[in-house]
Structure formats: C-alpha cells, structure tokens
Amino acid sequence: INAEYMGLYMKLGPEWSKIECTGECPSASFGHTATSISKTKVVLFGGAVEIEGKLTMTDAAYVFNVYKNEWCLLKASGAVPCPRAAHAASSVEHLKMVIYGGAIGGGGFAPEELYLLNMNKGEASASWVIIKIEGPNPGKRYGHSMNYFKPYIIIFGGYCSSAPVNDTWILHIEQTPFKWQQVAQNIDGPAPRVYHTASLCSSGKAGGMIVIFGGRGKDSGTLSDSWGLRKHRNGNWEWVKAPYSGTLVPTARFQHSSCFIGTINVIAGGRTSEISEKLPVELYDTNGGTWKRISILPRFRHSAWIYESSLCIFGGFENSAPTQPIAQPIMLDLSDISFEKEPVKPPPTEIPRPPASVPVSVPAPVSSPTHAPSPKIDRTFKMSPRAMIAMSYCPEMPASLQRMVKCLPVNSLQEESKKLLPTNKVIFGPPPIQEADRVSTRDSIAQMFINHLLRPKEWSLMQVERQFMFKNEDIIRLAKECMGIVQSQPIVLRVKPPVKIFGDIHGQYQDIMRFFDLWRSPAETSQNGDIDSYDYLFLGDYVDRGAHSMETICLLMALKIKYPSQIHLLRGNHEDSSINTGFGFADECEERLDDDLENPSSVFQTINALFEWLPLAAVIDNRILCLHGGIGKNLHTVSDIERLQRPLEVVHEVQTAQQQLLIDILWSDPTDNDQETGIQSNCVRDPNSTGSIVKFGPDRVEEFLKRNSLMMIIRGHECVMDGFERFAKGQLITLFSATDYCGKHKNAGAALFVQKNFEICLLYTSPSPRDRG
C-alpha cells in the first residue's frame, strides 16, 4: 500500500495500518470468504486469483493465526469443495466451518452441497466432508449470506437461476436426519437482493438476531436498508426492519463487508452503480438506531473479520483499479469509537414489530472473538477487591443450598477454610461404561471420555473405584491424539481474556468437579458450560498425591482434543516420570490398569511422553505470565523459554544451562515474604543443597516484569492455605486448586477468572471430604 493510498484511508477518521504477515501468504484475491473459527484462527477460502494474467477460481484454504499474524496453507483431506467465488461461509461450533454455493465461472453455479471443514484435531488433520441432507435444499446460488445461530445454519437471498431472491432457509444441526426447511416469508420482509451482508448480533436489543444490510436488488438498484431475523418462542421466524434515527442515513452499497463489535454493526467498503465511488466505513448502533461515519475504505469484494476491537480487511479490488485484486491485509482500530448520545426517535408506524401477543425470545449472547468498542480501553489488569466464597457443598442438599456463595474482601481471607461449614461425606460410584458406549472412530475417542468424566453433579465427593472404567488401549489412543495437538502448538502459549485459571489439582478430581459445578464447566452452553465464552488454563501438577490421577488427566486430555485452542495445559514438576514414579501416578497405573510400567507402550510411559511436550508457559494479553513454578535464577525473558526445544526431559542433576532453566520454571518458589530479596537456597525442595532449586525475591519479580513489559506472574506449585497468595506487592500470585492437600493441610482451593474488562476475580472453595486412597 503506497503512501498516497494510505493517505486516502486516513482522510475521515482513524488510521488504517498494515498487518505485517509471515508464513505462506495467500495470493491477491476477491470473492473469497474469511471466517473466524476460534479466538485465534481465521480461515480464508476460495475466491478468484490472478494466475499468469488471468483471473481463475481457486479452492485453496489458508489459516491465519491472529496472535502471530502468520498464514499457512491448509492441506485438508476429504471432499474438498470445487473452486468457487461469491459463496457463503460460517463457523459452526469450535474450529469448524461450513460453506455453501457460489459461482464457478462461465456463468455456472457451484453444486448445492453443504461442506464442513473440521479442524478439531489441528491443522495437520483438517478434513472436508459433505453433509448428507435429505429433501429439498436452497438450490444453486451465489452472492447469498449464511450464518450460524445455534443450532441453526441460516441462508438468505442471493442470485438464483436468473434473478435475486429473498428466501430464507434453516438447517437444524442437532436434529437428524438433516433437512433444510424454508422459512415462511412475512409479506413486508426484506426485498430480493444479492451481494448483501448478514452478521449475528450477540448483545443489546438486537442480541440473537441475524442483521442484513444493503445489497443489489432486482432492478440492479443499490439498497441501504437493514433487517433483523429473529426466532419467537412459538417457533416462528420473523424479519423485522431495523429503525434508523438521527440525521445521518447509510450509504447504499453492495459487495461490502459487515461485522459486529458488541452492539455496533461495522459496514465497510463496497460499491455502487458508479464503480469508482469510494465509500465510507459506517457504524450502526443497534441499540439506538443511529449511524456514524468514520473513515473511507475504497475496496469491494473483500473479506473482513474482527480482532479484539479492530476491523481487519483482506483482498478485494480498489474502486479506482477494479481489475487488480489486492493482497495486503490492513486493519482499523475502532477502540476509541463511541456514539454521541442523542434522543432516539421512535420508529415510523409502518415498521413491522412482533405482535404483542407473541412473546419474543432473546437468546443468550453468543461468544465471539470481539470486544465492544469503548473509549480508550484501560488494559491494566486489576485484582477484584472481592472474592466469591463457596460455602458448604453436599449433593443431597436442595439446589438452592448446594451453591451457597458469599462475597468477602480479598484482604480478609486469612485461612478462611477454617471458618467454612463442615460437610457430610456422600459417596458416589462412577457410571459404568457399556460396551456399546465404546467408540473406534478417531473423532469420537475424546467425546467418549468427556461423556463419562465431565459429570460434576455425579462425581463430586465420589468414592475411589480401584478398577478404572476405560481400557488401556483407549487411554493410549487418547494420549497420542492429545500429543499430536500439543506438538503443533508453541512452548509459550498466547491467550486472550476471558480465561479461567486453575492451579495444582494433584489427582483430587472431586475438587475440579466442584469448581465446574459451582462456576460452570468447559462444555457447550446447552450443557450448562461456558466454553463458548472462556478459555481454560491449567498450571500443571495434574497427577500424584490424590486418588484420582487417571480421571483427572484423562478428562483434561479429552478436553484438549475437543477444544485445542481453548483448553491450555501447562507442565508442572509432577509431569515428570522421575517424580510421578514415586508419588502415586505409577502406583495408580499399576493397580487400577494392571499396567506394565516398564513397557514403552504402556499407559504410564505414553502419558509421560506426552508430558515432555506440554508447553511451559502462557502469556495472557501480553500482560500476565503464567507458569508452574517460577523464574528462579536463570529465567530472564519469555524468549528464554521459547528457545527451549521439546521434548524436554527433566534432569535433576543439572549439567547444562538448559537443564537449569527447566528446573527454574518447574521447581522454583518465591521467598517467604517481600522482605527477603535476591536468590536464596530452597532447603525444603533441595535438601542436599545442590543449588539447582532456589527461591527468588520480590526484586527478581519486579526486574523480570519490567524487562518483559509484563504486569504480573501467576504460578502454582505451592500449597497455600487460602488457595491464593500474593507476593511482591501483588505482582505475583500463587494459585492452588486442590483442597485439604494430601488429606492433612486443611487448605482451601482457588481459581482465577481473568475477565474481558481486565479485572481478575477470585473463586474460593472449602475442603471437601474424600476417600484418601
């Protein structure tokens, strides 16, 4: 993008900037789609590219990592869709997307098949499949829109046969056999159109509505209206025209893009009947019905996505050069955009509204990788002054009493576990697995474990069953699949809030189940989960000490396979065969699985091989470093960790700088208080005084944070009485999630929620009775 071109972007508002990319970058294209399939990944598919001076359709798919600004060419297996442009795409669930329709050149249409791209197992194992659907379908079309509003895939409009249409089709993906259903169109609904946009609004007055804008009509006229599609409680669907108020009216356009940031629909680029006309970026506030104009984007037939509070654009044509597609991606920061408060005019009387007799269902907001725009976001993480305290817990209590929670000032937590109500021991046995429940397909192995292990209400306070419910070969398959995903991810993870953080679990499975029961679990919203909204970060030490190491590690491996970009498992000092041989995990494998510990193909050896590939750290929003132990004496920068090469065996008789660095990360502790500075010996963990395991003072913490432009360190590794302890004036937090550690410490357990507003909330739970095993 030359200086003159960039100057054009900056005339009316915020500055556009280049997105500097690495990797296998896609060619300049137009008519493609860009689909956010997770918080970290966008998939670019299809479109037309220039090859040897000729424009040619492509079936290429590229994955863009929004954290690293890195592209890679996706080499997916299976039924790859034919080359096409002007198709529609939408994400469905996590790391999955669908495409439908499009043009294939020469006036032809793409087949009327619905294609699913599944990346749940990582990019190397990505695959395309054709979804088998019975009965009539939307037919061949291009220039249409497709969205996912759980559990429905929704197609609207486009060009069919010889003219634009305004039909709406839905597909319920949780009901089999799959069947398309055409929605009855209300008489005063949107007019036929092609090359419009449609986006899902997840919050505010329009929350749960598919909002369309613009397009080209039957008479080739350019449209500027907005409509919202919503589903009523009685099962009926209805289009409602969006009210416009204020003095500014939107620019009519087609072949543009639209994305939601909170309640704001961002309309960018596009064209009119005068192709050289450069169109502004316009924002529609769905709460107030007002429009705001902020900048110019002289592109059309491009794609767009939202990263945090920035609008990202790829490809398309420049209006002044409509024959040369563009490759350089750009972004526009919208974090400072706000709407002036002005009286909202009532909509005209002719605008249709839902009948008063029909209650309107406003579904819960659907998660997305976007953040609502706000003036000058303060990205400083702050500890919430109050903690949420789970009182007693007993499954026999009424539901209203099971979740007794009180709020206390964080500063008042002084061994709060001693004050909490006692609970009566209640024993539950694990639900048996029938042979019919076992699966053989690769896609289903993780789900089999999740179905039987992610049961917070049934597994809380359970009695240990000495024979584990899963077969050895199933556990080995699970571990190998998990290892494949972990190997494809970096040694230092980059995580965005909101995220839940858990400290040491140590095989105390009922503790993690209690956290999941009280404050929701990593499951779909329909299963009382919040994986659509939160990442989950675990700080290590999953095995040893407690009686349920197998349940703990098998569930976490299964969750990692199902949600590879949202479940993050760091390595702890007990994820080491030389340690877990003597502290419970090896004994559990031998006793409960009849496992041959010396066999290289055993469960014990396979899981420990996975442990050597686990990442060592995670950085949240480039502000918070999370790791298991600490920074010791040799860790100075995050890059020091990134230079380590996996697999990593922990060598306790340290010989090299790399071996010492790994010991620092997994084993070191802060000093006993803020007055003890520098590097000190760690007599408890290093009784032989080898000097490899040390304690680090608050001065080391401050120096490390300053050097790395960080604000805080969150680590586990130490049992602290309140499950939570601050150090170095609150710049380091120790987190421990296992309660009454080893059955003798009487400590509480804690977890942290790092929210989107950069507030850190403390969740706190008391010890529970357990079989000591």
Side-chain angles (χ1 to χ4, degrees):
I1 305 178
N2 58 39
E4 179 182 359
Y5 194 44
M6 287 302 297
L8 176 62
Y9 284 121
M10 294 185 282
K11 282 182 180 178
L12 292 182
E15 178 181 355
W16 288 89
S17 58
K18 292 182 182 180
I19 302 176
E20 300 293 350
C21 300
T22 60
E24 302 171 283
C25 298
S27 303
S29 65
F30 66 93
H32 53 275
T33 52
T35 308
S36 295
I37 60 170
S38 74
K39 290 172 61 176
T40 63
K41 290 181 171 60
V42 174
V43 175
L44 189 80
F45 175 78
V49 298
E50 186 175 2
I51 300 177
E52 297 180 353
K54 294 182 180 180
L55 293 175
T56 305
M57 302 285 185
T58 180
D59 61 359
Y62 291 84
V63 179
F64 184 60
N65 186 313
V66 299
Y67 287 173
K68 298 180 178 179
N69 288 346
E70 182 179 60
W71 289 99
C72 75
L73 176 63
L74 188 67
K75 298 175 182 178
S77 61
V80 179
C82 67
R84 65 190 66 201
H87 53 282
S90 177
S91 63
V92 286
E93 305 300 342
H94 185 69
L95 292 173
K96 296 178 181 179
M97 62 173 277
V98 289
I99 70 164
Y100 185 89
I104 59 173
F109 291 83
E112 52 224 82
E113 304 279 8
L114 183 68
Y115 293 84
L116 171 71
L117 174 64
N118 187 347
M119 288 178 52
N120 260 344
K121 308 301 181 188
E123 293 161 24
S125 301
S127 62
W128 288 99
V129 295
I130 298 175
I131 305 300
K132 184 178 179 180
I133 302 175
E134 297 182 359
N137 59 56
K140 297 180 179 180
R141 63 181 68 203
Y142 66 82
H144 53 291
S145 61
M146 181 166 62
N147 301 87
Y148 178 61
F149 173 48
K150 191 173 182 177
Y152 298 100
I153 296 173
I154 302 169
I155 287 178
F156 170 76
Y159 195 90
C160 283
S161 183
S162 59
V165 295
N166 63 345
D167 53 349
T168 305
W169 293 77
I170 62 172
L171 177 69
H172 195 307
I173 68 168
E174 295 179 359
Q175 291 181 354
T176 55
F178 297 131
K179 293 182 179 181
W180 284 107
Q181 176 188 350
Q182 186 170 3
V183 174
Q185 176 78 302
N186 41 300
I187 298 174
D188 46 5
R193 64 193 65 207
V194 62
Y195 294 131
H196 57 283
T197 55
S199 302
L200 174 66
C201 181
S202 299
S203 59
K205 294 179 179 178
M209 297 184 75
I210 305 294
V211 179
I212 67 168
F213 174 81
R216 189 172 65 188
K218 273 190 173 181
D219 57 356
S220 297
T222 309
L223 305 172
S224 63
D225 54 343
S226 291
W227 292 79
L229 177 67
R230 76 182 341 149
K231 185 175 185 289
H232 295 298
R233 288 180 181 173
N234 63 0
N236 292 335
W237 295 79
E238 183 182 29
W239 284 101
V240 180
K241 191 172 184 181
Y244 291 173
S245 60
T247 56
L248 181 66
V249 293
T251 307
R253 65 183 82 196
F254 64 97
Q255 294 179 344
H256 52 284
S257 64
S258 74
C259 300
F260 266 97
I261 299 184
T263 62
I264 309 300
N265 196 9
V266 183
I267 308 297
R271 54 165 293 191
T272 65
S273 56
E274 180 56 52
I275 195 170
S276 61
E277 183 179 356
K278 299 174 178 63
L279 303 182
V281 176
E282 293 175 330
L283 312 178
Y284 177 58
D285 179 9
T286 56
N287 277 347
T290 56
W291 286 87
K292 184 181 181 73
R293 188 169 294 159
I294 60 168
S295 189
I296 284 179
L297 177 65
R299 286 201 196 182
F300 64 97
R301 302 204 72 177
H302 56 282
S303 62
W305 65 90
I306 296 294
Y307 173 54
E308 293 188 330
S309 55
S310 294
L311 173 67
C312 303
I313 301 292
F314 178 83
F317 293 110
E318 183 186 354
N319 295 77
S320 58
T323 59
Q324 295 293 323
I326 301 167
Q328 173 65 60
I330 57 176
M331 66 189 301
L332 176 65
D333 183 8
L334 298 175
S335 60
D336 292 336
I337 299 302
S338 61
F339 277 76
E340 307 237 348
K341 291 188 178 179
E342 53 182 75
V344 179
K345 300 177 183 179
T349 55
E350 70 269 18
I351 293 178
R353 297 186 172 218
S357 60
V358 179
V360 176
S361 171
V362 181
V366 178
S367 73
S368 70
T370 67
H371 301 275
S374 59
K376 297 290 182 185
I377 295 176
D378 179 6
R379 301 178 70 84
T380 302
F381 285 95
K382 300 181 179 69
M383 194 72 198
S384 172
R386 302 186 73 79
M388 298 178 67
I389 314 297
M391 301 289 286
S392 61
Y393 179 94
C394 173
E396 289 183 342
M397 291 180 180
S400 59
L401 296 179
Q402 281 187 17
R403 292 164 181 78
M404 289 172 58
V405 175
K406 67 177 180 179
C407 287
L408 286 180
V410 170
N411 291 333
S412 74
L413 291 180
Q414 305 226 339
E415 300 187 24
E416 183 67 23
S417 57
K418 295 179 180 178
K419 310 172 192 175
L420 299 176
L421 299 177
T423 57
N424 297 319
K425 186 172 183 180
V426 178
I427 305 301
F428 288 93
I433 294 184
Q434 305 299 326
E435 197 60 33
D437 294 335
R438 300 194 179 275
V439 293
S440 57
T441 64
R442 182 181 180 189
D443 290 344
S444 303
I445 183 71
Q447 192 62 52
M448 180 181 75
F449 278 83
I450 291 171
N451 289 344
H452 288 270
L453 292 177
L454 189 57
R455 308 168 86 115
K457 300 185 188 309
E458 298 173 46
W459 281 80
S460 295
L461 309 178
M462 67 183 178
Q463 184 182 33
V464 65
E465 291 289 332
R466 296 323 298 165
Q467 184 174 1
F468 193 45
M469 65 178 71
F470 293 99
K471 293 181 178 179
N472 291 28
E473 55 265 33
D474 291 335
I475 303 169
I476 291 170
R477 285 180 55 207
L478 186 79
K480 288 182 176 180
E481 284 198 35
C482 186
M483 188 189 302
I485 292 170
V486 169
Q487 288 173 336
S488 70
Q489 296 179 339
I491 196 169
V492 177
L493 304 172
R494 303 287 169 169
V495 182
K496 287 291 179 182
V499 57
K500 296 181 181 181
I501 307 175
F502 295 88
D504 299 33
I505 302 170
H506 279 297
Q508 295 185 191
Y509 194 67
Q510 52 271 62
D511 283 329
I512 201 68
M513 288 296 101
R514 285 207 304 154
F515 275 108
F516 287 171
D517 189 24
L518 289 163
W519 288 292
R520 306 184 77 177
S521 66
E524 308 298 332
T525 306
S526 60
Q527 300 169 319
N528 196 35
D530 57 7
I531 195 66
D532 289 338
S533 304
Y534 282 92
D535 278 19
Y536 282 69
L537 173 62
F538 298 86
L539 300 181
D541 278 11
Y542 312 114
V543 299
D544 285 345
R545 306 286 194 183
H548 299 92
S549 290
M550 290 310 306
E551 284 84 356
T552 303
I553 190 60
C554 285
L555 174 63
L556 293 178
M557 290 190 297
L559 289 170
K560 180 64 181 176
I561 293 169
K562 185 168 184 180
Y563 307 110
S565 297
Q566 289 179 274
I567 301 294
H568 312 290
L569 307 179
L570 301 187
R571 187 177 186 179
N573 64 305
H574 281 259
E575 278 70 68
D576 171 9
S577 61
S578 64
I579 299 299
N580 58 48
T581 294
F583 286 89
F585 183 52
D587 291 340
E588 191 171 331
C589 289
E590 200 168 36
E591 294 173 12
R592 302 183 68 191
L593 302 173
D594 195 23
D595 198 35
D596 179 3
L597 303 184
E598 301 301 321
N599 187 337
S601 301
S602 66
V603 170
F604 178 76
Q605 296 286 356
T606 304
I607 292 179
N608 272 294
L610 161 66
F611 288 163
E612 295 186 354
W613 283 94
L614 290 179
L616 295 178
V619 179
I620 301 176
D621 202 52
N622 297 319
R623 296 291 191 275
I624 300 176
L625 174 67
C626 300
L627 72 179
H628 179 73
I631 56 176
K633 57 184 178 181
N634 282 10
L635 180 59
H636 299 289
T637 67
V638 175
S639 298
D640 292 341
I641 308 175
E642 292 175 320
R643 282 191 286 270
L644 293 173
Q645 298 297 313
R646 295 173 295 174
L648 286 165
E649 179 184 357
V650 181
V651 178
H652 294 271
E653 296 179 359
V654 172
Q655 303 280 328
T656 67
Q658 174 175 300
Q659 293 168 358
Q660 180 59 59
L661 185 58
L662 185 57
I663 291 289
D664 282 341
I665 294 167
L666 298 181
W667 281 90
S668 65
D669 294 312
T671 55
D672 293 340
N673 56 63
D674 282 7
Q675 284 68 51
E676 298 183 12
T677 59
I679 300 297
Q680 300 188 10
S681 61
N682 195 327
C683 299
V684 175
R685 300 193 190 276
D686 186 20
N688 296 325
S689 301
T690 64
S692 59
I693 302 177
V694 300
K695 294 182 178 181
F696 52 91
D699 51 334
R700 272 283 288 139
V701 173
E702 292 179 11
E703 181 271 336
F704 181 87
L705 293 176
K706 183 176 180 180
R707 176 176 293 182
N708 291 272
S709 300
L710 296 169
M711 295 180 58
M712 184 182 295
I713 296 172
I714 298 177
R715 44 92 65 174
H717 194 41
E718 283 187 287
C719 174
V720 288
M721 287 308 297
D722 291 316
F724 160 89
E725 189 170 272
R726 287 176 286 191
F727 179 74
K729 299 178 182 178
Q731 296 177 99
L732 180 145
I733 292 175
T734 296
L735 192 64
F736 203 81
S737 298
T739 67
D740 191 18
Y741 182 47
C742 296
K744 61 183 181 182
H745 289 276
K746 308 303 180 187
N747 63 286
L752 295 177
F753 283 14
V754 181
Q755 307 284 13
K756 280 185 179 181
N757 62 0
F758 307 108
E759 183 176 62
I760 302 176
C761 300
L762 173 65
L763 303 182
Y764 182 99
T765 186
S766 62
S768 63
R770 58 175 56 84
D771 188 314
R772 307 298 178 199

